[in-house]
Amino acid sequence: MTSPDPSVTVYYTLDGSEPNPADLGVNTFIYKNNYVELPEQTDGALLTESYQTFAYTGAIAITDRSNAPNRVSLKSSSYNSGPYYFPVLPLFKSTVVRPWANRT
């Protein structure tokens, strides 16, 4: 990566988080993947993860991580404890317009 401006510094992360040039240290956070939704359920365990911003200074090694644990997309992004969150339909009624139908 290059820039025509020699004073530019490129920052990056390895987990998809937004780089923070003001904090290049390792940042640790605690989160849960499961929350109580019904009375008979229990809370999920507290999980710990970290992220870091790096300043680009040279070549970045690219390695095959296909056998490594999936650390990013296994974090829950919804309240639903199911493995995949799809709303129960019908949430709303929609009309499908088919312009090719009923033509004479």
Side-chain angles (χ1 to χ4, degrees), residues 13-103:
T13 64
L14 299 175
D15 66 353
S17 61
E18 189 167 332
N20 181 359
D23 186 1
L24 299 180
V26 175
N27 295 283
T28 302
F29 61 95
I30 298 172
Y31 68 101
K32 290 184 182 183
N33 269 343
N34 296 40
Y35 295 88
V36 174
E37 294 179 61
L38 303 171
E40 66 273 4
Q41 293 176 330
T42 58
D43 256 349
L46 287 174
L47 305 169
T48 303
E49 190 63 74
S50 62
Y51 62 93
Q52 183 174 1
T53 296
F54 299 92
Y56 177 74
T57 58
I60 299 172
I62 298 175
T63 58
D64 179 2
R65 294 187 40 89
S66 57
N67 291 324
N70 183 347
R71 295 178 26 204
V72 177
S73 68
L74 291 179
K75 291 181 180 72
S76 178
S77 61
S78 69
Y79 181 78
N80 187 289
S81 63
Y84 303 103
Y85 175 71
F86 293 105
V88 177
L89 296 177
L91 290 178
F92 54 88
K93 184 176 181 178
S94 65
T95 303
V96 177
V97 177
R98 295 182 178 93
W100 61 87
N102 299 324
R103 286 193 170 177

